[in-house]
């Protein structure tokens, strides 16, 4: 058994863990990241690409923003195609100048990974049997194995940045956590292709055939999504079938511009809303997908993780650099206020834009719900006050002052 020590143990080398590690190191707080899979595997995950200003600012603060500044695309608005009629939500004008950045999440993770390595910060990839111990004591620890060697990492705090399926949330005793979940009766089939996008900005499409999203990574790389039944398998969808269905769901003038090509990534993601309360237990703090999941409709996943990271690293800095030992125990209460706001917005956008073909709900009730949602969406698209509400939440609520 090899004993190692740090101040903050970070479980997971996704965007949450890597961003937290970078910001803690900048505050002089020692940290070690323990990751279950290889770095290459982490980078193989294709995720959303819309960054709120809060996350853009954090990446500048972490000094990991150069490539984003060079290759990212600031977006002043997005579109909603409502049964073929296109509405532009001018987020910049509606929010007094705030915008979002279009830059692949995988690229954010890559930049953070490279910055961590360049700084010489320790990351144990391909770690097995990760387990957290004595998290509600002043001497928590993490055990894991790597390349046949056993390790015990002693630390002051543990940041559980290990995603929805990680070990951290499950380390909190069941009777000490309260979980909220809503699983949507459909998923998103996503395709990445090296083809020019159909539009400069994102187009969220509500159609009688179901939801579609036309997104982008650059002027030569597109990201598209289709709502599919949660029973569908990715092998049910050839590229040809995907492009054919997408053409039927895009607004007509956009469909005419669609350039198809081979998919370089194709996968189906389930849609769920999930929150674990509280987001802490003793000296274990849950961050990002370990604590909450949002349907991707509002592009809040990474952005919500970023606000968790911002809150936790600032509170830990108060502990280590200002001697305020109790500061970090305010984390969950602060983080949850923003989590629930983003959960509601993502749920609301998902309800308005998708076709609820939920067999568990009586067809009459389903049709009534769909009419309600059509009327809701029509109001928010045709009323400037409604557009302002949508824009203000899409760009993201400001982070709380710590
Ligand atoms: N031990 C160590 N690492 C683990 C364990 C474990 N037991 N379980 C999971 N992990 C790792 C995963 O391999 C993954 O690399 O934790 C990391 C969690 O990363 P994400 O799932 O990406 O979660 P997070 O960093 O919170 O990302 C939040 O970015 O990746 C997107 O969909 C995600 O939008 C969300 C946002
Ligand atoms: C993406 O580009 O992958 C993306 C963009 C916006 C969303 C979801 C996904 O709401």
């Amino acid at each position: 058994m090899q004993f190692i020590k740090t101040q903050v143990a970070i479980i997971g080398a996704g965007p949450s863990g890597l961003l937290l590690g970078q910001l803690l190191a900048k505050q002089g707080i020692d940290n070690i990241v323990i990751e279950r899979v290889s770095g290459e595997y982490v980078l193989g995950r294709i995720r959303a690409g819309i960054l709120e200003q809060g996350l853009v600012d954090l990446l500048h603060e972490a000094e990991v923003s150069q490539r984003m500044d060079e290759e990212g695309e600031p977006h002043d608005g997005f579109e909603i195609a409502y049964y073929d009629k296109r509405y532009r939500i001018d987020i910049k004008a509606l929010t007094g100048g705030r915008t979002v950045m279009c830059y692949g999440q995988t690229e954010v993770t890559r930049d953070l990974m490279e910055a961590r390595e360049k700084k010489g910060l320790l990351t144990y990839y391909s770690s097995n049997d990760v387990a957290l111990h004595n998290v509600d004591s002043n001497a928590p620890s993490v055990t894991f194995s790597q390349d046949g060697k056993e390790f015990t990492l002693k630390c002051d705090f543990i940041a559980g940045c290990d995603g929805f399926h990680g070990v951290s949330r499950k380390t909190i005793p069941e009777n000490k956590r309260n979980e909220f979940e809503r699983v949507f009766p459909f998923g998103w089939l996503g395709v990445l292709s090296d083809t020019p996008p159909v539009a400069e900005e994102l187009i969220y499409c509500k159609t009688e055939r179901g939801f579609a999203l036309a997104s982008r990574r650059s002027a030569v790389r597109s990201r598209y999504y289709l709502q599919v039944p949660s029973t569908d398998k990715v092998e049910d969808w050839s590229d040809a079938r995907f492009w054919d269905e997408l053409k039927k769901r895009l607004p007509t003038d956009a469909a005419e511009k669609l350039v198809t090509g081979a998919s370089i990534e194709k996968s189906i993601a389930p849609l769920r809303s999930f929150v674990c309360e509280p987001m802490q237990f003793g000296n274990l703090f849950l961050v990002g997908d370990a604590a909450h999941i949002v349907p991707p409709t509002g592009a809040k996943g990474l952005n919500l993780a970023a606000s968790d990271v911002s809150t936790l690293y600032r509170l830990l800095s108060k502990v280590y650099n200002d001697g305020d030992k109790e500061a970090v125990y305010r984390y969950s209460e602060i983080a949850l206020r923003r989590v629930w706001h983003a959960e509601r917005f993502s749920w609301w956008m998902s309800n308005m834009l998708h076709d609820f073909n939920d067999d568990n709900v009586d067809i009459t009730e389903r049709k009534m719900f769909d009419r309600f949602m059509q009327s809701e969406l029509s109001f928010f698209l045709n009323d400037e006050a409604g557009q302002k509400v949508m824009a203000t939440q899409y760009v993201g609520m400001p982070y709380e002052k710590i």
Side-chain angles (χ1 to χ4, degrees):
M1 177 68 74
Q2 195 173 331
F3 289 93
I4 48 181
K5 190 165 171 38
T6 188
Q7 290 174 303
V8 180
I10 297 175
I11 316 298
S16 296
L18 293 170
L19 180 56
L20 178 63
Q22 212 58 25
L23 290 163
L24 289 176
K26 226 182 142 227
Q27 294 293 318
I29 301 169
D30 189 60
N31 63 86
I32 288 178
V33 172
I34 301 162
E35 165 58 55
R36 183 176 57 179
V37 299
S38 68
E40 294 69 32
Y41 191 95
V42 174
L43 292 175
R45 297 179 185 126
I46 303 297
R47 296 285 170 71
I50 292 297
L51 313 183
E52 292 175 355
Q53 191 58 45
L55 173 50
V56 171
D57 295 344
L58 272 183
L59 289 168
H60 281 122
E61 204 175 322
E63 296 169 21
V64 187
S65 62
Q66 187 189 341
R67 203 156 66 96
M68 174 187 66
D69 292 339
E70 288 162 4
E71 298 174 18
E73 298 177 339
H75 279 207
D76 296 351
F78 66 92
E79 289 188 27
I80 292 181
Y82 178 59
Y83 297 105
D84 213 38
K85 186 170 183 331
R86 296 172 68 163
Y87 293 78
R88 181 170 187 267
I89 309 295
D90 185 342
I91 55 178
K92 187 167 186 175
L94 289 161
T95 63
R98 299 176 67 198
T99 62
V100 292
M101 174 71 78
C102 186
Y103 183 64
Q105 193 170 288
T106 308
E107 305 321 311
V108 172
T109 307
R110 187 191 315 280
D111 296 345
L112 286 164
M113 224 176 248
E114 288 170 0
R116 184 167 180 87
E117 202 172 329
K118 196 171 164 193
K119 227 180 164 77
L121 300 173
L122 210 40
T123 309
Y124 287 85
Y125 287 103
S126 307
S127 301
N128 301 307
D129 308 319
V130 177
L132 315 184
H133 308 277
N134 308 312
V135 297
D136 56 346
S137 78
N138 287 329
S141 63
V142 183
T143 55
F144 62 98
S145 61
Q146 189 201 53
D147 296 340
K149 289 192 219 104
E150 305 285 322
F151 293 85
T152 294
L153 171 59
K154 297 186 174 183
C155 54
D156 301 328
F157 302 103
I158 301 174
C161 303
D162 47 348
F164 184 69
H165 301 289
V167 65
S168 296
R169 187 177 68 252
K170 295 164 193 156
T171 301
I172 300 177
E174 275 194 46
N175 65 348
K176 298 288 185 190
R177 54 188 152 99
N178 196 3
E179 296 187 352
F180 304 80
E181 184 169 43
R182 185 192 195 287
V183 179
F184 287 80
F186 43 74
W188 275 20
L189 166 64
V191 158
L192 192 68
S193 59
D194 281 335
T195 54
V198 290
E200 290 299 311
E201 296 177 330
L202 274 59
I203 310 177
Y204 294 81
C205 311
K206 169 143 182 119
T207 82
E208 64 287 343
R209 300 180 67 90
F211 171 83
L213 170 60
S215 183
R216 52 188 289 142
R217 292 292 178 270
S218 70
V220 293
R221 177 166 283 196
S222 301
R223 178 67 168 168
Y224 295 109
Y225 296 95
L226 292 177
Q227 170 188 347
V228 295
S230 39
T231 48
D232 272 17
K233 303 271 176 289
V234 69
E235 47 271 18
D236 299 336
W237 286 87
S238 67
D239 285 4
R241 184 186 174 199
F242 178 86
W243 295 122
D244 181 49
E245 183 60 31
L246 179 65
K247 271 190 199 130
K248 290 171 183 165
R249 297 191 194 182
L250 288 174
T252 311
D253 50 359
E256 286 160 0
K257 293 182 189 159
L258 181 64
V259 176
T260 65
S263 58
I264 52 178
E265 193 274 347
K266 181 159 54 179
S267 55
I268 294 181
L271 267 67
R272 76 173 78 236
S273 303
F274 173 86
V275 178
C276 172
E277 285 188 356
M279 290 172 54
Q280 68 191 55
F281 177 70
N283 287 310
L284 167 61
F285 300 89
L286 303 181
V287 180
D289 276 18
H292 43 72
I293 296 285
V294 282
T297 324
K300 291 301 171 199
L302 177 59
N303 292 301
L304 207 37
S307 53
D308 291 348
V309 166
S310 174
T311 301
L312 184 57
Y313 112 82
R314 294 184 202 283
L315 290 173
L316 284 170
S317 179
K318 281 182 174 295
V319 172
Y320 285 106
N321 298 331
D322 305 345
D324 180 352
K325 297 275 177 237
E326 296 308 305
V328 73
Y329 302 109
R330 294 169 45 219
Y331 167 72
S332 180
E333 170 220 333
I334 296 169
L336 279 170
R337 276 194 284 272
R338 203 168 186 280
V339 164
W340 279 114
H341 189 91
E343 288 282 347
R344 192 212 61 83
F345 172 68
S346 305
W347 168 83
W348 176 67
M349 283 280 276
S350 302
N351 280 340
M352 282 197 307
L353 294 170
H354 289 82
D355 177 45
F356 279 75
N357 43 10
D358 188 347
D359 296 336
N360 300 319
V361 177
D362 173 77
I363 182 73
T364 319
E365 194 182 323
R366 263 174 23 210
K367 285 194 295 192
M368 172 78 96
F369 176 78
D370 198 46
R371 286 288 183 276
F372 284 157
M373 288 300 111
Q374 285 183 37
S375 160
E376 172 117 340
L377 183 55
S378 167
F379 165 74
F380 278 92
L381 292 176
N382 291 292
D383 178 290
E384 191 184 328
Q387 289 201 5
K388 200 175 175 73
V389 166
M390 216 185 286
T392 306
Q393 296 179 88
Y394 191 83
V395 297
M397 303 309 281
Y399 291 3
E400 279 195 39
K401 289 268 173 290
I402 301 295

